[in-house]
Amino acid sequence: NAGVMQNPRHLVRRRGQEARLRCSPMKGHSHVYWYRQLPEEGLKFMVYLQKENIIDESGMPKERFSAEFPKEGPSILRIQQVVRGDSAAYFCASSPPSQGRETQYFGPGTRLLVL
Amino acid sequence: GEDVEQSLFLSVREGDSSVINCTYTDSSSTYLYWYKQEPGAGLQLLTYIFSNMDMKQDQRLTVLLNKKDKHLSLRIADTQTGDSAIYFCAESSGDTGRRALTFGSGTRLQVQP
């Protein structure tokens, strides 16, 4: 059973370009979470999605960032007009449908570098 | 808002026990987790504890929870060089509408041979 998959693993963008990060959850998992990790810091929650629904986006910056989890295909985190401060590791996690406790399983991350 | 704090660094000798500490502020925390991150990798779930438990043991790992003081610790027995990594404490309220994990900044464990 493959774990959470993210691609690309490394992404380099110039300021003003768009970054698209993809996440495929574990088989049978319908909940996806995105976190951002700045250098030497812990992970900060960004957004929680279920299929075709954004459940909690309280950690998402109000501008330039968006996320989706379509009925078919991976979850996408999109960052428009990237700036140097967006350089970070972006982690996706997934969990199964609600069973009272939903452990989140993390992918390997996408490391975004903005030049 | 919620806050989780950890000491930044711990150094131990191979074979000794390591104890990594964590404090949190959210009284409604229901689940508390320990994750391990090796360089350039994602987070690996090590163990978790439910808030109505005081202790959980899993092979070399022992988790202690003092709910009154909002203090969580992870003890690694017989620490090995392969245990060198960053260890993150995380908490969640378990609320179905808000499942975000709140992480500490991580404790870097260095194991010396």
Side-chain angles (χ1 to χ4, degrees), chain B residues 5-7 19-23 34 71-74 89 107:
Chain B
E5 294 194 359
Q6 301 177 238
S7 53
V19 179
I20 302 171
N21 294 301
C22 169
T23 58
W34 284 104
H71 181 267
L72 182 74
S73 68
L74 173 69
C89 169
T107 299

Side-chain angles (χ1 to χ4, degrees), chain A residues 31 33 35 37 42-43 45 48 56 58 91 98 100-104 106-107 111, chain B residues 31 33 35 37 40-43 45 48 88 97-101 103-105 108:
Chain A
H31 300 179
Y33 315 79
Y35 293 82
Q37 184 181 33
L43 280 71
F45 168 76
Y48 159 41
D56 179 0
S58 58
F91 291 95
S98 175
R101 177 190 66 78
E102 297 79 32
T103 298
Q104 296 181 22
F106 283 80
R111 281 149 181 86
Chain B
Y31 305 106
Y33 302 85
Y35 284 87
Q37 184 180 36
L43 274 70
L45 176 67
Y48 65 92
F88 290 97
R98 172 153 176 81
R99 301 182 187 208
L101 292 176
F103 283 85
S105 297
R108 185 180 297 273

Side-chain angles (χ1 to χ4, degrees), chain B residues 47-65:
Chain B
T47 188
Y48 65 92
I49 190 168
F50 188 55
S51 61
N52 68 353
M53 299 168 66
D54 297 324
M55 186 183 84
K56 180 177 180 180
Q57 188 156 1
D58 184 1
Q59 299 184 340
R60 291 192 297 125
L61 305 179
T62 303
V63 178
L64 294 177
L65 174 61

Side-chain angles (χ1 to χ4, degrees), chain B:
Chain B
E2 305 93 351
D3 193 22
V4 177
E5 294 194 359
Q6 301 177 238
S7 53
L8 291 180
F9 186 76
L10 176 65
S11 179
V12 300
R13 291 195 178 276
E14 191 174 18
D16 288 350
S17 292
S18 307
V19 179
I20 302 171
N21 294 301
C22 169
T23 58
Y24 59 98
T25 59
D26 188 0
S27 300
S28 66
S29 294
T30 307
Y31 305 106
L32 296 127
Y33 302 85
W34 284 104
Y35 284 87
K36 176 184 179 182
Q37 184 180 36
E38 296 184 72
L43 274 70
Q44 173 193 353
L45 176 67
L46 289 177
T47 188
Y48 65 92
I49 190 168
F50 188 55
S51 61
N52 68 353
M53 299 168 66
D54 297 324
M55 186 183 84
K56 180 177 180 180
Q57 188 156 1
D58 184 1
Q59 299 184 340
R60 291 192 297 125
L61 305 179
T62 303
V63 178
L64 294 177
L65 174 61
N66 181 328
K67 194 173 181 182
K68 173 176 171 290
D69 294 338
K70 299 190 183 69
H71 181 267
L72 182 74
S73 68
L74 173 69
R75 178 176 180 270
I76 306 173
D78 187 24
T79 313
Q80 303 297 307
T81 54
D83 295 325
S84 293
I86 301 176
Y87 291 79
F88 290 97
C89 169
E91 64 87 24
S92 74
S93 66
D95 180 353
T96 54
R98 172 153 176 81
R99 301 182 187 208
L101 292 176
T102 301
F103 283 85
S105 297
T107 299
R108 185 180 297 273
L109 174 64
Q110 181 180 69
V111 182
Q112 299 181 4

